[in-house]
Amino acid sequence: MKKHTYQTNLIWTGNRGTGTTNYRDYDRDYDIHIMGKPVILGSSDPAFLGDPKRHNPEEQLVAALSSCHLLWYLHLCAEAGVVVIEYEDEASGVMIENENGSGQFSEVTLRPRVRVRKQMMVKQAEVLHEEAHGLCFIARSVNFPVYVEGDVAF
């Protein structure tokens, strides 16, 4: 069994000079640094006093599921001789907020729209969505359902 380790460095940048003296006295902004890559500017969701111009963790989770599916799907298509020429996914996630302020995702739905080179590839391309979903590292790691509503066209 191979083991992979991923490292990030998160730096809170939201101190307005008084730290967290009061719930409304600080920004939720942070920067995610990953060696050799562009900085990701993050914040909380605007519903939780975050900056709407920055990425929030909930969006990043949905994007991680979407991109993991994409990468496995393209891999499987390449191995199967299915030539994908376009791929777009309008993914969405639902998070339930509890009365005490905690919350959890209840589901994520991926909606990949794929275009293949030849009509004869459509059926196989449709089947490969299920296999990609079963292999996705991120989807296998979450405790809520991830649905895939794929659409393949020529």
Side-chain angles (χ1 to χ4, degrees):
M1 178 186 323
K2 293 181 183 177
K3 183 176 181 179
H4 302 270
T5 302
Y6 301 92
Q7 292 185 261
T8 65
N9 180 19
L10 184 139
I11 301 170
W12 175 50
T13 60
N15 186 349
R16 297 181 196 157
T18 59
T20 59
T21 55
N22 186 291
Y23 183 71
R24 296 191 179 277
D25 288 348
Y26 62 94
D27 293 327
R28 277 65 181 166
D29 298 351
Y30 56 87
D31 297 347
I32 299 172
H33 298 261
I34 302 169
M35 189 182 312
K37 299 179 183 180
V39 174
I40 298 170
L41 304 179
S43 190
S44 64
D45 184 292
F48 306 106
L49 305 178
D51 183 344
K53 296 180 194 119
R54 289 177 168 243
H55 301 286
N56 66 56
E58 295 81 12
E59 293 166 333
Q60 291 177 51
L61 177 60
V62 173
L65 286 161
S66 177
S67 57
C68 186
H69 183 87
L70 162 73
L71 296 171
W72 268 111
Y73 183 76
L74 295 178
H75 172 99
L76 294 171
C77 285
E79 284 185 340
V82 174
V83 181
V84 174
I85 56 176
E86 290 180 14
Y87 185 110
E88 181 176 344
D89 183 8
E90 293 193 23
S92 63
V94 177
M95 186 185 78
I96 307 298
E97 186 178 354
N98 301 315
E99 287 183 27
N100 68 359
S102 69
Q104 64 279 333
F105 272 81
S106 61
E107 67 182 57
V108 167
T109 303
L110 309 179
R111 294 178 187 85
R113 303 295 171 248
V114 179
R115 198 165 137 233
V116 295
R117 179 175 285 163
K118 296 180 181 176
Q119 177 68 40
M120 62 183 254
M121 297 175 175
V122 170
K123 194 69 128 180
Q124 180 68 22
E126 291 172 343
V127 169
L128 290 174
H129 277 299
E130 186 174 332
E131 190 174 344
H133 179 62
L135 292 169
C136 173
F137 307 136
I138 310 300
R140 293 173 52 84
S141 300
V142 298
N143 66 350
F144 53 84
V146 178
Y147 303 107
V148 179
E149 297 175 359
D151 181 46
V152 179
F154 160 66

